Amino acid sequence: MALPPLGIPYDDAAIFTDLYQLSMLQSYYREGMEGEAVFTLFFRKLPETRNYMLAAGLDPVLEYLETLHFSGEALAYLESTGRFEAAFLDQLTGFRFTGSVRAVAEGTPVFPHAPILEIAAPIAEAQLIETLLINQITVSTILASKAARVVEAAKGRPVIDFGTRRAHGFDAGNKAARSAYIAGCVSTANVLAGKLYDLPIAGTMAHSYVEAWKDEYEAFRHFVSLYPETVLLIDTYDPIQGVENVIRLSRELGDGFRVRAVRLDSGDLAELSKEVRRRLDAAGLNAVEIVVSGGLDEYRVADLIAADAPINGFGVGTRLTTSSDAAELDIAYKLAAYDGEGRMKLSPLRKNLPGAKQVARVEEDGTAVRDIVCRDTETGFGRPLLETVMIDGERTDAGRRSLDQMRETARTEIARLPAPLRELAPAETPYAVVVSDELTRYTDAIETELSAKT
Amino acid sequence: MALPPLGIPYDDAAIFTDLYQLSMLQSYYREGMEGEAVFTLFFRKLPETRNYMLAAGLDPVLEYLETLHFSGEALAYLESTGRFEAAFLDQLTGFRFTGSVRAVAEGTPVFPHAPILEIAAPIAEAQLIETLLINQITVSTILASKAARVVEAAKGRPVIDFGTRRAHGFDAGNKAARSAYIAGCVSTANVLAGKLYDLPIAGTMAHSYVEAWKDEYEAFRHFVSLYPETVLLIDTYDPIQGVENVIRLSRELGDGFRVRAVRLDSGDLAELSKEVRRRLDAAGLNAVEIVVSGGLDEYRVADLIAADAPINGFGVGTRLTTSSDAAELDIAYKLAAYDGEGRMKLSPLRKNLPGAKQVARVEEDGTAVRDIVCRDTETGFGRPLLETVMIDGERTDAGRRSLDQMRETARTEIARLPAPLRELAPAETPYAVVVSDELTRYTDAIETELSAKT
């Protein structure tokens, strides 16, 4: 049993949902409520350490919607719970997603309250998918957003995803690699992610390899005999002895020495990289690069670059794949319309914008200055971000972007952000998201109407 | 395609690994290095907001080890990378895990530097599995540890996992439910987790259900006609109006009214729950319980209980399933012996304890007072925590614990911890983990030997 391309096991996906979705579905079926619902996916608040989020995770969602069905095994489980009537389970047998999806392209910077995705579908379909949609957009968006910061900090030097082991589980390990690539990382250590997403993969040796040999020099010599252009990890015992062992190997091998780089994984990376560079250069090994790893994040990468550390590449692990400084995002998926009428919650601080919407990015001199959230029928504000990616359950061309296209979207869209938003420190002035006059009037009207009814 | 019980897709799992593992494997094969390696899995440091970690994730690891193989598709991918020789790929065709595993039971509180798991296997096997082992133990241990705090804070009132949507991806959503149950949560909203792990599932209605109807009263009336003993969500528009609608419904239905509880999901939950309780009681609905949700974590739960809020149960989401205050854990998996000889790293701050080890928990008057890390041949210190869970690739009885057994382990082992460790605040005195004299002497001897060689 192998995973499908986007990592969602099709036969289980339909019940990767909260029980309340199925409870509601059974009621909708019984009551004959088949009207079209519009749901909007958005987040309410940026984490304190983020100036923007980089939208990601749409492709897994579309793959899920295209393949959505209840397997016999899933139906048997639902029946075994005693919570569902036979007639309802029968109806689930033929359940498919027949709706439409509009969404921002993966790799687009997004901001609070602006829709990232909107679903229009019969209410049962639109409701069931909530849990998986939020789950998948959340993990990819959180991890892409973190990766974008690390890539920014590295100022063009390559960043490699080393963090599969520390990600929150199997899917997160794969999605981390995918999201990192969208955000501009050059490769991943994760072999399965390489296979699933056709990503460049990277990785040579661990400390355990060095330790398994009788000494470090023997380890290097044997590894290089198999991989002449490898990267040698030099800090298992002592990084200075390590680089001296590399130099000794270069003398033994002469013209046959083609080692591409050395890696430092601990200690004071700024100081060590300078000393290692000095020793490599003194030995004529100017072409041998230095890559570093070990507890890195965007702040440490920025510090190393500020210290003029002669580092050619960064392997970033735990922080990249957990986004531990901002590991949660309050993505919500709210009913915005049912059967043609606007809908919203009125709970304090939890109100949402009713109706089908669009987001327009307004740019001046090539720089984004604000996003305008408007009704989907409004035009003329700026560049619309929500594209139709699925109609009647089928992907459109806009729903079939390649990972390299998403990566290019991220590169160009991030470059258009105001400079303070690209800094690691919190921007003094948050990016402006404004609601159009027409949507404001519509929201007020719906709110008045609902307040009268409750 | 459905997931196997523990959520690891067998045909992909072998290449859910870092590329360097396979690079090292190819070298080990070529050099004929088939000696037995001992690797130790442990973490170096508690997160600042944790007094202990609750070990979890062993069962998925054992399932993976039992089924480990390279599928034809995985081998074809490896071949396509051009990094591997045909002879090596041939050898991978027959690759299986034939080693032994000793591990602490899931549900055991664990501390820095003490082994959580040790592997003894031919070095290639022990090396390949590192990435998945760390990944799976990490996600389950982080999430079980968080859940244990929430359960502790709730002081016996039920805690339900509501956080699948916010977990980091598909696997994390399922493992969160499993880990939460081990830690003492009573149920999960995640239907697939219910099926995979035979967990109690829970969930009734969302705000969108209420909004889809013409008004809240109609929504309640229709929902209750299908689910008489349900939980009604009362804060879509206004929680006081919401509870009044419940009371109105009770009058309409008379003896047919069997609603079990109302749910509040926003606002000042302490004040609202008191007002809702007062109104329910005044209407004679003393049996109707109040459950709350919405941005809860252990601190908010503790505050609500300290405020004497009349709350009967807590639905906890995002914070439970992301552990966002402590979303990373520096779990390491280090070579401790090769071919019968102790091995260790000497990098500053990264040294590890060599050789096969045991952890003994020393208890006085039923309270754990310290853990002693010793050589695996030592006895007599206290209760040994590492059990043999797999021999020659086959699980032992100790490797076949049920989830309810793990939950009972968590309950009894947490109860034995010193009281300050069970508080939410950081304990002033951390739990003591000491290294036995014999292991200290052995470590010093190995360090001296290695320092001489490098």
Side-chain angles (χ1 to χ4, degrees):
Chain A
M1 210 245 2
L3 279 179
L6 287 159
I8 308 296
Y10 301 142
D11 278 358
D12 285 327
I15 61 168
F16 185 81
T17 193
D18 291 296
L19 178 60
Y20 75 4
Q21 319 284 15
L22 289 165
S23 303
M24 291 187 276
L25 251 62
Q26 182 165 237
S27 175
Y28 290 144
Y29 276 113
R30 186 156 128 155
E31 304 286 354
M33 288 176 70
E34 294 174 354
E36 183 180 87
V38 175
F39 277 81
T40 306
L41 186 140
F42 63 101
F43 64 95
R44 292 195 181 85
K45 198 170 170 298
L46 279 169
E48 283 173 28
T49 48
R50 298 288 179 273
N51 290 324
Y52 64 90
M53 298 302 289
L54 197 68
L58 177 62
D59 217 17
V61 161
L62 296 178
E63 182 174 291
Y64 157 75
L65 294 176
E66 283 182 323
T67 59
L68 186 56
H69 70 281
F70 286 85
S71 69
E73 216 184 279
L75 290 167
Y77 171 71
L78 294 181
E79 188 181 1
S80 76
T81 68
R83 294 168 182 269
F84 304 103
E85 298 173 350
F88 173 63
L89 295 172
D90 275 356
Q91 276 173 301
L92 291 186
T93 307
F95 187 97
R96 297 291 182 273
F97 181 76
T98 64
S100 297
V101 184
R102 295 178 309 127
V104 304
E106 292 191 71
T108 304
V110 289
F111 299 93
H113 298 290
I116 296 170
L117 177 150
E118 287 201 340
I119 298 282
I123 191 165
E125 298 175 22
Q127 186 69 62
L128 177 79
I129 65 178
E130 174 181 36
T131 311
L132 192 135
L133 250 65
I134 294 179
N135 174 275
Q136 286 296 308
I137 301 281
T138 293
V139 63
S140 289
T141 297
I142 285 177
L143 299 182
S145 303
K146 180 68 171 180
R149 290 170 62 83
V150 179
V151 168
E152 186 83 42
K155 296 200 182 296
R157 298 182 213 195
V159 177
I160 307 169
D161 160 32
F162 270 15
T164 309
R165 62 186 63 189
R166 299 281 174 72
H168 285 193
F170 199 88
D171 188 30
N174 296 327
K175 296 290 159 57
R178 180 181 182 278
S179 298
Y181 186 75
I182 292 173
C185 289
V186 298
S187 57
T188 178
N190 180 338
V191 179
L192 177 58
K195 171 176 178 285
L196 290 173
Y197 309 124
D198 195 21
L199 302 178
I201 52 177
T204 59
M205 73 194 317
H207 295 111
S208 54
Y209 183 88
V210 173
E211 293 168 56
W213 290 88
K214 79 174 175 61
D215 64 37
E216 187 181 63
Y217 185 72
E218 280 305 295
F220 286 177
R221 213 169 55 81
H222 283 275
F223 202 71
V224 165
S225 74
L226 179 58
Y227 306 109
E229 298 175 17
T230 195
V231 178
L232 292 171
L233 177 60
I234 61 173
D235 70 342
T236 302
Y237 303 117
D238 176 278
I240 302 304
Q241 269 305 319
V243 71
E244 289 301 330
N245 277 329
V246 174
I247 291 166
R248 181 178 153 204
L249 187 64
S250 77
R251 291 186 181 135
E252 181 183 325
L253 298 180
D255 287 350
F257 180 85
R258 286 182 283 150
V259 168
R260 189 161 48 81
V262 297
R263 177 161 73 96
L264 289 163
D265 185 53
S266 57
D268 180 335
L269 297 174
E271 286 311 306
L272 282 174
S273 63
K274 286 176 188 174
E275 180 61 20
V276 166
R277 182 76 272 155
R278 201 187 62 71
R279 288 178 184 241
L280 288 171
D281 289 350
L285 300 179
N286 312 69
V288 176
E289 298 195 332
I290 300 175
V291 299
V292 301
S293 57
L296 297 181
D297 61 15
E298 65 269 45
Y299 304 105
R300 290 199 63 199
V301 166
D303 287 348
L304 288 168
I305 286 186
D308 280 327
I311 291 168
N312 304 92
F314 299 94
V316 185
T318 310
R319 302 270 166 88
L320 183 74
T321 57
T322 59
S323 184
S324 53
D325 64 327
E328 63 175 76
L329 185 66
D330 66 339
I331 288 185
Y333 176 83
K334 292 297 168 194
L335 184 69
Y338 179 64
D339 221 5
E341 290 176 22
R343 289 287 193 270
M344 62 192 291
K345 281 169 74 178
L346 301 180
S347 334
L349 306 177
R350 299 282 188 101
K351 289 176 193 172
N352 57 293
L353 297 165
K357 295 171 288 292
Q358 180 55 275
V359 193
R361 183 147 295 171
V362 182
E363 284 153 337
E364 291 173 4
D365 301 329
T367 299
V369 293
R370 80 185 71 85
D371 283 3
I372 298 176
V373 185
C374 55
R375 300 200 67 185
D376 71 335
T377 46
E378 294 185 88
T379 54
F381 289 121
R383 187 158 53 96
L385 297 185
L386 293 178
E387 309 170 310
T388 300
V389 292
M390 181 172 275
I391 298 176
D392 300 340
E394 305 267 337
R395 288 195 207 211
T396 65
D397 286 345
R400 295 182 191 282
R401 291 249 167 80
S402 73
L403 218 51
D404 282 317
Q405 286 174 307
M406 299 171 197
R407 195 165 193 259
E408 180 60 16
T409 296
R411 201 185 63 74
T412 56
E413 294 288 331
I414 292 170
R416 286 175 181 167
L417 293 177
L421 267 64
R422 299 179 58 183
E423 299 290 328
L424 301 185
E428 284 187 27
T429 311
Y431 186 79
V433 177
V434 298
V435 177
S436 76
D437 291 344
E438 191 177 327
L439 180 53
T440 302
R441 280 192 299 274
Y442 181 66
T443 304
D444 291 346
I446 297 289
E447 186 166 356
T448 305
E449 191 183 319
L450 288 173
S451 302
K453 286 200 305 195
T454 54
Chain B
M1 212 248 354
L3 278 179
L6 287 159
I8 308 296
Y10 301 143
D11 279 359
D12 285 327
I15 61 168
F16 184 80
T17 193
D18 291 296
L19 178 60
Y20 75 4
Q21 319 282 16
L22 289 165
S23 303
M24 290 188 278
L25 253 61
Q26 181 164 238
S27 177
Y28 289 144
Y29 276 114
R30 186 156 129 154
E31 305 286 353
M33 288 175 71
E34 294 174 356
E36 183 180 86
V38 174
F39 276 82
T40 306
L41 187 141
F42 63 101
F43 63 95
R44 292 196 180 86
K45 197 169 172 296
L46 279 169
E48 282 173 27
T49 50
R50 298 288 179 273
N51 291 323
Y52 65 90
M53 300 300 290
L54 198 67
L58 176 62
D59 216 17
V61 161
L62 296 178
E63 183 174 292
Y64 156 75
L65 294 176
E66 283 182 324
T67 59
L68 185 56
H69 70 280
F70 286 85
S71 69
E73 217 182 276
L75 290 168
Y77 172 70
L78 294 181
E79 188 181 1
S80 77
T81 67
R83 295 167 183 267
F84 303 103
E85 297 173 349
F88 172 63
L89 295 172
D90 274 356
Q91 277 174 298
L92 290 186
T93 307
F95 187 97
R96 296 291 181 274
F97 181 75
T98 64
S100 297
V101 184
R102 295 179 310 127
V104 304
E106 293 192 70
T108 305
V110 289
F111 299 93
H113 297 291
I116 295 170
L117 178 151
E118 288 201 339
I119 297 282
I123 191 165
E125 297 175 22
Q127 185 70 62
L128 177 79
I129 65 180
E130 173 181 34
T131 310
L132 191 135
L133 250 65
I134 294 179
N135 174 275
Q136 287 296 306
I137 301 282
T138 293
V139 63
S140 288
T141 297
I142 285 177
L143 299 181
S145 304
K146 180 68 171 182
R149 291 170 62 84
V150 179
V151 168
E152 186 83 42
K155 296 197 182 299
R157 298 182 213 195
V159 177
I160 307 168
D161 161 30
F162 270 14
T164 309
R165 64 186 62 188
R166 299 282 173 72
H168 286 194
F170 199 88
D171 188 31
N174 296 326
K175 296 291 159 55
R178 181 182 182 277
S179 299
Y181 186 75
I182 292 173
C185 290
V186 298
S187 57
T188 178
N190 180 337
V191 179
L192 177 57
K195 171 176 178 285
L196 290 173
Y197 310 124
D198 194 21
L199 302 178
I201 53 177
T204 60
M205 72 195 316
H207 296 113
S208 54
Y209 183 87
V210 173
E211 293 168 56
W213 290 88
K214 80 175 176 56
D215 64 38
E216 188 181 62
Y217 186 72
E218 280 306 295
F220 287 177
R221 213 167 56 80
H222 283 276
F223 203 71
V224 165
S225 73
L226 179 57
Y227 306 109
E229 298 175 16
T230 195
V231 178
L232 292 171
L233 177 61
I234 61 173
D235 69 342
T236 302
Y237 303 117
D238 176 278
I240 303 304
Q241 270 304 320
V243 71
E244 289 301 330
N245 278 329
V246 174
I247 292 165
R248 180 178 155 206
L249 187 63
S250 76
R251 292 185 180 136
E252 181 182 326
L253 298 181
D255 287 350
F257 181 85
R258 288 182 283 149
V259 168
R260 189 162 47 82
V262 297
R263 176 161 72 98
L264 291 163
D265 186 52
S266 56
D268 181 334
L269 298 174
E271 286 311 306
L272 284 174
S273 62
K274 288 175 186 174
E275 180 61 18
V276 167
R277 182 76 271 154
R278 201 186 63 70
R279 289 178 184 241
L280 288 171
D281 289 349
L285 300 178
N286 311 71
V288 175
E289 298 195 330
I290 300 175
V291 299
V292 301
S293 56
L296 297 181
D297 60 15
E298 65 270 45
Y299 304 105
R300 290 199 63 199
V301 167
D303 287 347
L304 289 167
I305 286 187
D308 279 327
I311 291 168
N312 304 92
F314 299 94
V316 185
T318 310
R319 302 270 165 89
L320 184 73
T321 57
T322 59
S323 184
S324 53
D325 65 326
E328 63 176 76
L329 184 66
D330 66 338
I331 288 185
Y333 177 81
K334 292 296 167 192
L335 183 68
Y338 180 63
D339 220 4
E341 291 175 21
R343 290 286 195 268
M344 62 190 291
K345 281 170 74 177
L346 301 180
S347 335
L349 306 176
R350 299 284 187 100
K351 289 175 191 171
N352 57 294
L353 296 165
K357 293 171 288 292
Q358 179 55 276
V359 193
R361 183 147 296 171
V362 181
E363 283 153 339
E364 292 173 3
D365 301 329
T367 299
V369 292
R370 79 186 72 86
D371 283 3
I372 297 177
V373 186
C374 55
R375 300 201 67 186
D376 71 336
T377 46
E378 294 185 87
T379 56
F381 288 122
R383 187 159 51 96
L385 298 185
L386 294 178
E387 308 169 312
T388 299
V389 291
M390 180 171 274
I391 297 175
D392 299 341
E394 306 267 337
R395 289 196 208 211
T396 64
D397 287 346
R400 294 181 192 283
R401 290 249 169 80
S402 74
L403 218 52
D404 283 316
Q405 287 174 306
M406 299 170 198
R407 196 164 191 259
E408 181 59 16
T409 297
R411 201 184 62 75
T412 56
E413 295 286 331
I414 291 170
R416 286 176 181 165
L417 292 178
L421 266 65
R422 298 177 59 182
E423 300 289 330
L424 300 185
E428 284 187 27
T429 311
Y431 185 78
V433 177
V434 298
V435 177
S436 75
D437 291 344
E438 190 178 328
L439 179 54
T440 302
R441 280 192 298 274
Y442 181 67
T443 304
D444 290 345
I446 297 290
E447 185 167 356
T448 305
E449 192 185 317
L450 289 172
S451 302
K453 285 201 308 195
T454 53

